[in-house]
Amino acid sequence: MIVSRALLRSVAVVRFRIWLATALVFGALVAGLLRAQVDEEKRRDQSEEAETRAASTPKPKKSPTPKTKRRHTPTPKPAKKNSGGKKTSDKAKKSAKPKSARKEETPKPRKTPAPQVEETRAASETAAPQPRAIAVPTPAPSPQPKPARPVSAGAQPQVVIEKSGIEEDQGFEPPPSPPPRRYGFWPWSRPVSYRYLTSSVVEAIRRAPVKRRRWQFIVVHNSGTRQGNARVFDYYHKHVRRMQNGLAYHFVIGNGTSTGNGQIEVGDRWRRQINGGHVHSDYLNNISLGICLVGDFNRDQPTRAQLDACEELIRYLRDRCGKTERGTIPVKPHREINPPRWPTDCPGDDFPYSWFRRF
């Protein structure tokens, strides 16, 4: 057992020595290869540096080329060398004089005609635009803006809004004479005095600048409330319904609750002669006057004073606004003139519609 262990150890030692020797040999080979590669890289670098130097060296060789030019410039020197002899000097003088004369004559005409040509060119250029400048103003007085005027005049009919039914050239409707008043109790006196049209209402209607054929319809409404007046409706339309111009009607007739029974209130839309907001149609609002009777005529009926006041107001408005193409301005209830897409029962089911036959 002891011998075998010694043999194993000797064998292991031998193997280790062999492995170490091979490792050293292999390391030496690898080191040699690395050194060879490094040497090759150094040689390549040296060769590249030599090539770059060789490539840079020919550049200064090109610089002495101007020396040849300097050698060519002193060509007139041999003429001075030939002037050593008498004969040659005379010939040289004779030959030199015409050369110098030629040299002096040739540059002068070249220099002198050049500015003359330039001056003539400049004169021709300056003279040429003068007739052009003269020719330019001649077509200027041609009436070019005049044809633009008939075009703008022809475009005016296109600007007129036919949908609104308003024509700007119609002018204003002259206000009618003030309503007659009955004085005294004579039996032959005229009984056509207005009872509900006060002087303030008449003046407000007369002062408004009404255009001819501006209003095509008069529409009668009910407020849908049992009480109210123009101020209350104006606040509701402006702050609740968000209508910029406030009160949607041109006139309001009270029922005796918030204002007098049959009292007529003139709205701001009539004074400013702007479109109403009482019909569910922008086109109809632009050509129709709105009269609102305070009350809910689905449960009640209008008072006699409201109907009489509305009749007086309608007749005076017809005289104030003039006639339309169809004659006198027609009077319609809201339910008949509102578009069928938005039906309504205004001015109510209990309203006496036979009253409209008077107009």
Side-chain angles (χ1 to χ4, degrees), residues 38 46 81 83 341:
V38 171
Q46 290 177 358
K81 292 179 181 179
S83 62
R341 185 177 177 183

Side-chain angles (χ1 to χ4, degrees), residues 101-111:
R102 289 176 185 175
K103 288 180 181 179
E104 290 176 358
E105 289 176 357
T106 51
K108 288 179 181 179
R110 288 179 184 175
K111 291 180 181 179

Side-chain angles (χ1 to χ4, degrees), residues 19 33 49 105 123 128 190 204 222 261 267 287-288 294:
W19 179 82
L33 291 172
E49 289 178 358
E105 289 176 357
R190 297 181 62 186
N222 73 330
N261 189 12
I287 61 174
S288 60
V294 178

Side-chain angles (χ1 to χ4, degrees), residues 1 47-48 73 95 119 144 170 183 202 212 223 225 246 262 281 288 292 344 346 352:
M1 295 294 291
S47 62
E48 288 178 358
T73 51
S95 61
E119 290 176 359
Q144 292 180 354
Q170 293 291 324
Y183 298 98
V202 171
R212 291 180 180 176
S223 64
T225 60
S281 170
S288 60
C292 176
T344 180
C346 181

Side-chain angles (χ1 to χ4, degrees), residues 163-320:
K163 181 180 179 181
S164 64
I166 302 171
E167 295 181 359
E168 295 180 356
D169 298 332
Q170 293 291 324
F172 295 96
E173 189 72 26
S177 58
R181 297 290 179 181
R182 188 174 73 175
Y183 298 98
F185 298 96
W186 299 103
W188 56 83
S189 61
R190 297 181 62 186
V192 191
S193 63
Y194 291 104
R195 181 179 178 184
Y196 298 97
L197 281 177
T198 61
S199 59
S200 61
V201 174
V202 171
E203 287 299 322
I205 295 174
R206 286 169 56 84
R207 289 177 182 176
V210 181
K211 292 183 179 179
R212 291 180 180 176
R213 298 182 182 180
R214 169 70 169 89
W215 305 110
Q216 303 291 323
F217 296 97
I218 297 176
V219 184
V220 179
H221 303 260
N222 73 330
S223 64
T225 60
R226 290 188 172 181
Q227 59 184 1
N229 56 16
R231 183 178 59 83
V232 174
F233 299 152
D234 178 70
Y235 181 87
Y236 173 74
H237 291 161
K238 185 177 291 184
H239 297 283
V240 178
R241 296 184 61 182
R242 302 297 181 184
M243 300 176 73
Q244 183 178 2
N245 295 313
L247 180 64
Y249 311 105
H250 295 86
F251 301 93
V252 178
I253 301 176
N255 62 350
T257 56
S258 300
T259 56
N261 189 12
Q263 182 180 347
I264 300 172
E265 295 180 282
V266 183
D268 188 57
R269 290 179 185 263
W270 170 261
R271 292 188 178 91
R272 296 166 57 192
Q273 286 295 296
I274 60 176
N275 60 332
H278 51 94
V279 183
H280 204 103
S281 170
D282 293 337
Y283 171 66
L284 294 174
N285 280 326
N286 202 23
I287 61 174
S288 60
L289 292 170
I291 302 175
C292 176
L293 278 65
V294 178
D296 184 4
F297 302 143
N298 285 322
R299 296 181 290 179
D300 302 320
Q301 287 188 349
T303 63
R304 187 73 243 174
Q306 282 183 304
L307 294 176
D308 293 342
C310 188
E311 183 178 355
E312 290 181 5
L313 178 61
I314 289 171
R315 293 189 186 280
Y316 192 71
L317 286 175
R318 279 180 161 184
D319 294 338
R320 179 68 182 90

